[in-house]
Amino acid sequence: MSHVHSTEKLLEETSIHRLILQLGIPAMLGQFFNILYSIVDRIFVGKIPGVGETALASIGVCAPALTAISAFAYMIGIGGASSMSILLGRKDPVRAKAMLGNAVFLLLFISMMVTALLLLVKRPFLYILGCSDAMYPYASIYFTIAVSGTLASLLGTGLNQFLLAQGFAKPGMISVVMGAVINACLDPLLIFGCGMGIAGAAVATVIAQCCMAAYVIWQLCSDKVAIRFHFCRPQWTLCRRILAIGSMSFLITSLDNLIIILLNIMLRQYGGASGDQLITCATIVQSFLTIVFCPAQGIIT
């Protein structure tokens, strides 16, 4: 219970400006490193001899859909963590604890449903996203492996919000930085050293996401955290509240990636024989724009 009081003391007694700096800057840095996953993959995949351009275009087709999956993590994470913070402010640690347990249930349930659905409709879905016959073998491999890591991705990203909401911005940042560093180190090793090609990029990302999820859960199980990681039977009133509060974050992330998906579809439809090259160019430009705009979401969150 003392941990609950220490969290409340931090949020109640710290000035707004200092709280923004104390929690917002680590969150911003964490968001910056989070976007490095796909960017680092693109850097190394683009250098694969002979097939780099096609493989890079394949990631450009898959990436918006894979990033859109993270919208579920932000919906549950932000919706649940915000609700938990409100309940802590109302001196209701019992319901605050239940909020985390219900968020864990939702993340597990959504992960299983999304993974099964996307693997089932993989081929037609990739062609809808703008994939060509030349790109499909690479896109299929990357997409299959990346989607298989949905559980780790959603748990790591979603539960990290509960660390941030309890005032542990630095561990929250470390989790994301750790994942990005592991991904950056494994990419050249698996892609070139082990000769796995584009599959190596996807495997590196999944391993990094698993490490991030394990670290976040470990932090939430530690004694210093007021509301610890646990699983409980769903309480539909709390689940609806999580979904209602987090729905705006879901829509923002989804619509941002929908714009990129529509761009790829238009490039495929009207790009003619140069469609793959145009998608490759768009992928490079999108990487730059992501670096510019996404870190600000850390402070907003």
Side-chain angles (χ1 to χ4, degrees):
M1 191 66 66
S2 61
H3 298 298
V4 175
H5 293 318
S6 63
T7 300
E8 292 176 354
K9 182 177 180 180
L10 171 67
L11 298 176
E12 291 175 358
E13 298 183 4
T14 306
S15 66
I16 298 298
H17 296 292
R18 185 178 177 186
L19 198 60
I20 290 176
L21 293 176
Q22 187 173 342
L23 301 180
I25 290 180
M28 182 188 70
L29 292 175
Q31 185 72 16
F32 173 77
F33 279 96
N34 191 39
I35 65 177
L36 291 182
Y37 277 97
S38 61
I39 294 176
V40 170
D41 283 354
R42 297 173 191 184
I43 290 173
F44 288 108
V45 166
K47 298 181 182 297
I48 298 176
V51 300
E53 182 177 316
T54 303
L56 180 57
S58 301
I59 290 184
V61 167
C62 296
L66 295 173
T67 304
I69 295 175
S70 67
F72 290 103
Y74 288 114
M75 175 175 65
I76 305 304
I78 294 176
S82 300
S83 300
M84 183 190 69
S85 298
I86 293 171
L87 291 170
L88 286 175
R90 294 176 178 174
K91 316 295 184 184
D92 190 354
V94 175
R95 293 191 70 200
K97 181 179 179 181
M99 195 64 71
L100 175 55
N102 278 265
V104 172
F105 166 79
L106 287 172
L107 288 170
L108 292 174
F109 177 76
I110 292 174
S111 297
M112 291 186 292
M113 294 297 294
V114 169
T115 301
L117 178 61
L118 290 181
L119 291 179
L120 184 65
V121 301
K122 176 182 65 176
R123 185 181 181 88
F125 184 62
L126 286 176
Y127 275 96
I128 290 173
L129 294 177
C131 185
S132 66
D133 291 336
M135 291 160 54
Y136 181 76
Y138 306 101
S140 176
I141 293 173
Y142 187 85
F143 189 78
T144 300
I145 297 173
V147 168
S148 299
T150 297
L151 176 61
S153 175
L154 264 60
L155 283 177
T157 303
L159 294 179
N160 201 32
Q161 299 298 323
F162 288 88
L163 275 179
L164 299 175
Q166 297 184 70
F168 295 96
K170 289 183 179 179
M173 179 188 68
I174 290 173
S175 68
V176 180
V177 173
M178 178 182 65
V181 171
I182 291 174
N183 182 59
C185 293
L186 288 179
D187 263 342
L189 177 63
L190 297 179
I191 294 173
F192 304 110
C194 298
M196 295 177 65
I198 194 172
V203 170
T205 298
V206 172
I207 292 175
Q209 290 170 341
C210 289
C211 292
M212 175 185 173
Y215 177 82
V216 170
I217 292 174
W218 175 63
Q219 286 289 326
L220 284 173
C221 290
S222 66
D223 293 336
K224 64 183 180 181
V225 177
I227 307 299
R228 301 180 189 175
F229 175 85
H230 68 285
F231 179 84
C232 69
R233 295 180 61 182
Q235 299 170 256
W236 300 116
T237 301
L238 298 183
C239 289
R240 285 195 296 270
R241 182 173 180 177
I242 291 173
L243 297 175
I245 294 178
S247 60
M248 185 56 65
S249 297
F250 176 83
L251 288 174
I252 291 172
T253 305
S254 299
L255 292 176
D256 282 346
N257 288 280
L258 179 61
I259 294 172
I260 300 175
I261 291 172
L262 292 175
L263 173 61
N264 288 336
I265 293 174
M266 293 299 102
L267 292 175
R268 163 63 47 222
Q269 184 171 351
Y270 299 107
S274 301
D276 288 3
Q277 292 180 333
L278 293 175
I279 291 176
T280 301
C281 295
T283 300
I284 296 172
V285 173
Q286 289 156 16
S287 299
F288 172 76
L289 293 177
T290 301
I291 293 175
V292 173
F293 293 112
C294 278
Q297 295 179 1
I299 290 182
I300 297 173
T301 302

